[in-house]
Every structure is written in C-alpha cells, then in structure tokens.
Amino acid sequence: MKPAIRVAVTGAAGQISYSLLPRIASGAMFGPDQPVILQLLEVPVEKAMKALEGVAMELDDCAFPLLQGMVLADDAKVGFKDANWCLLVGAKPRGPGMERADLLKDNGKIFTTQGRIIDEVAAENARVAVVGNPANTNAMIAASMARRLTPDRFTAMVRLDQNRAQTMLAKKAGVATTEVSEIFIFGNHSPTMFPAFSHAKIQGQAAEKLVNDRAWLEGEFCEKVGKRGAAIIAARGASSATSAANALIDHVRDLVTPGKIHSVAVKSEGRYGFDPNVWAGMPVKTTSPGAFEVITGIEMDDFANSKIAATNKELVEERSFVAEMLG
Ligand code: NAD
Ligand code: LMR
C-alpha cells in the first residue's frame, strides 16, 4: 500500500465539496491504489462547522477503503498542515445577474491569507488548485503571497469550460464526447474565455471541417461555452456544483498523470500574447505527477488573436482591481 497523501479542501461544507469529497475518497482523483487523508477546512462559524461534521459523518458511513483519515479544521494552519494538494474551493458563489469578477473584493482576501499560510505550512511538494471565483485572479493572488512555493505550483481551473466545449462540439457533430479531442480553453474563466475550436479534433479530423459552420463556432459556440455558468445559475438558482466537482477531479487527475494534455490556467509568462503576470488558461502537458509544461506554438488566426486580446485585457483589469492585495 502506498503512503497516504494529504488533500486539503476548503469550503468543505459547501455545494461543490458535497459532490467532490466522496469522489476523492473513492479514488477518482488520485487513483484506486492511492490512500488519502482529507483535511477539511471551513470558516470558524458554528453552523458551517456543524454542517462539516455532518459531511464527515457521511464520508465515514461510506467506509471508503482509501480514506485513511479526516481532519476537520476552522484554522487554515491546521487545514493546510503538510498538505500535498490544496484544493481551494471555499469562496462566495455569484448569484443571478452578477459576473464572477464582482466577487473579487469579497473573495480575493481569502486567497491572500490562504496563499500565505499554504506557503508556510503545506508539504514540500504542495500543489494548489483554485476553484473559488474569479479563479484565475484568485490563483494569482495566492501565488503572489508565496515565498517558498514557486508560481507553477498554483493553477486555476478552466477544465469545466473545456468539458462544456467538448460536449457542445460532440452534440453539434452528433458524436460521442469521447470522439472530441484537443479543445483547449485560453484565458479567463469568464465569458471572455476562448475555446480554440480551430485546433479541436472530432474523430481525429479537424472539428472545424466536420462542423462546417464557422459562424456557429465563432458565435453561438464561444458565447454558450462562456455563459454556461450563468445559464446554470438561471436554471438551478445556484451555481454549478456537480460539474464543477467533476472538472476538479479531471483537473487534478490529469495533473498527476504524465502525458495528459489538458487546459489549465497557469502563470502565462507571456505565452500566446498574454500579460506575463496573469494566470491564463492554456494547454499543458503533464510531465511528472504535479508538474507540467505549457504547449506552445499553437498557431492563432486573427479571430483567435482578437479573442485572446479581449480575455487578456479582462485579466489585466482584474489584476489592477486587486493590486493592493498582491504580495
Ligand atoms: P458554497 O457557498 O456552497 O460553498 C462555499 C463554502 O466555502 C461555504 O461552506 C463557506 O462557508 C466556505 N468558505 C468561505 N470562505 C472560506 C474560507 N476562507 N475558508 C474555508 N471555507 C470557506 O459555494 P460552492 O457552490 O461550493 O462554490 C464555491 C466557489 O466555487 C464559488 O466561488 C463559485 O463561484 C466557484 N465555482 C467555480 C467554478 C470554476 O469552474 N472555477 C465552478 C463552479 C463554482
Ligand atoms: C461556472 O462556470 O459554472 C462557475 O464558475 C459558477 C459561475 O459563477 O458561473
């Protein structure tokens, strides 16, 4: 049996975590032979901690063979102690009529504190994945607080957007989702994101050729992927939870599986024309568990470049909005 890894999850009594935690404990994230210890972090409020106790009771009642222990914490120094993975889910979700960036002032400060504490107490090999919105900028804030952990340890999730785009392309072409590949998300997890359809494949051929509807790809497709989160809020009255949890499973599982190519928001370092210091979605290839290299050299046409410029502009604006929070 491998030694257990420690997985810290914030917002552990929230909606996303309710779908997420049983899947981590059952092996969907780290594999069927990898034991885990869950370090569940919530706010120091009686109602939240009581709800967290209930979540832990249910996890106990699943008798998951891989779940070797749980730590329930309302103190980040305890929650992140020696954590190998820190999954930052805990933050306010948006409601109807809001954009994710409207959450910045409230949520941003969560990530200054957590970034600093993770840097102090998490494991030497710690990796951080940010889900709480606006995810790209929150990852940037957390990374800016770190002195020990390098920026590549901090990623934000755009995998939900990749999965949404994959399903939309499959439906348009009338094929199974498994027939769609190489659809990558560039930029912000917001309506400005760019699902780069020109490089996508359906049954191994250019998706654009098979779909044969450039107007749909440039218009409805990009718009619907970008606004899918709002469509779910409008329908459900609450933001996506099961699909977000599933996307985080995919995000981390692919980051610990060498050879996987997938969309992740990472520090851009100027790639694809992004400002070097924003966290932007782009394709990466996992090189060893937790480490990746960005896939460069994908050619962009004028339409793609204009979309990337727009999503970059938004990321730069978000950064200036939180300038005083950056470490
Ligand atoms: P939720 O309100 O159901 O749960 C959030 C939980 O976080 C609450 O229990 C709250 O007490 C807790 N929390 C708040 N601040 C905390 C802190 N400092 N430390 C620990 N816990 C804290 O919300 P949810 O539906 O689970 O969504 C969580 C976040 O994920 C939201 O910001 C939402 O917008 C975002 N989200 C992102 C994506 C994505 O693709 N990146 C997808 C869906 C949702
Ligand atoms: C989503 O894309 O579903 C999430 O980011 C939640 C939201 O606010 O849209």
Side-chain angles (χ1 to χ4, degrees):
M1 196 71 147
K2 291 179 178 174
I5 57 170
R6 292 182 174 272
V7 185
V9 181
T10 69
Q15 280 206 85
I16 293 176
S17 290
Y18 198 67
S19 285
L20 175 69
L21 297 173
R23 295 192 63 198
I24 301 175
S26 70
M29 188 175 264
F30 296 103
D33 59 349
Q34 177 58 67
V36 291
I37 295 169
L38 287 174
Q39 306 195 161
L40 307 175
L41 184 61
E42 259 297 340
V43 287
V45 169
E46 199 186 334
K47 194 167 167 226
M49 292 310 291
K50 191 86 193 145
L52 185 59
E53 272 173 37
V55 170
M57 285 158 72
E58 285 208 66
L59 289 167
D60 270 337
D61 294 350
C62 294
F64 286 119
L66 294 171
L67 183 56
Q68 287 199 350
M70 281 185 274
V71 175
L72 275 53
D74 62 5
D75 174 351
K77 286 196 173 161
V78 176
F80 293 126
K81 180 85 183 116
D82 298 329
N84 305 103
W85 275 88
C86 302
L87 309 180
L88 307 189
V89 178
K92 243 194 197 170
R94 66 173 165 156
M98 292 170 75
E99 281 306 337
R100 299 179 186 92
D102 297 334
L103 297 166
L104 257 183
K105 279 281 182 240
D106 281 340
N107 285 349
K109 51 184 183 275
I110 297 174
F111 295 85
T112 58
T113 312
Q114 292 186 350
R116 182 174 46 75
I117 294 177
I118 289 168
D119 196 53
E120 276 170 28
V121 305
E124 203 48 51
N125 69 352
R127 259 78 189 176
V128 181
V130 177
V131 173
N133 276 320
N136 300 51
T137 295
N138 288 336
M140 177 194 66
I141 293 172
S144 80
M145 302 309 291
R147 299 293 170 265
R148 174 178 63 110
L149 301 174
T150 47
D152 58 298
R153 302 294 188 91
F154 293 79
T155 61
M157 188 172 94
V158 288
R159 183 57 178 265
L160 181 52
D161 311 303
Q162 179 183 310
N163 290 350
R164 288 167 171 165
Q166 185 178 348
T167 299
M168 283 183 208
L169 282 177
K171 283 194 172 171
K172 177 78 173 170
V175 301
T177 53
T178 48
E179 307 281 4
V180 178
S181 60
E182 291 162 72
I183 175 71
F184 301 123
I185 303 296
F186 285 81
N188 203 2
H189 173 60
S190 85
T192 66
M193 78 185 75
F194 176 48
F197 53 77
S198 290
H199 308 282
K201 302 261 180 346
I202 296 178
Q203 294 170 334
Q205 297 178 53
E208 200 174 334
K209 209 165 143 209
L210 239 101
V211 166
N212 195 24
D213 188 348
R214 176 87 188 187
W216 178 83
L217 287 165
E218 285 188 6
E220 194 177 327
F221 172 66
C222 287
E223 167 129 358
K224 278 204 167 155
V225 178
K227 295 195 172 157
R228 182 68 165 183
I232 288 168
I233 292 170
R236 222 171 79 81
S239 74
S240 64
T242 294
S243 56
N246 179 66
L248 185 57
I249 296 282
D250 290 346
H251 174 105
V252 176
R253 191 202 52 232
D254 284 359
L255 275 175
V256 296
T257 311
K260 286 285 183 187
I261 297 179
H262 50 122
S263 309
V264 177
V266 299
K267 188 177 183 198
S268 107
E269 311 282 7
R271 298 178 186 100
Y272 292 103
F274 283 100
D275 181 286
N277 294 313
V278 297
W279 262 246
M282 52 187 76
V284 309
K285 182 175 185 175
T286 302
T287 49
S288 62
F292 57 83
E293 62 191 21
V294 173
I295 310 247
T296 53
I298 295 182
E299 284 198 12
M300 298 292 173
D301 61 15
D302 288 349
F303 178 76
N305 281 325
S306 71
K307 297 292 282 182
I308 287 178
T311 193
N312 178 58
K313 182 168 175 278
E314 184 182 50
L315 285 165
V316 169
E317 281 165 7
E318 285 184 17
R319 186 182 59 202
S320 55
F321 194 65
V322 296
E324 81 284 2
M325 290 186 200
L326 299 176

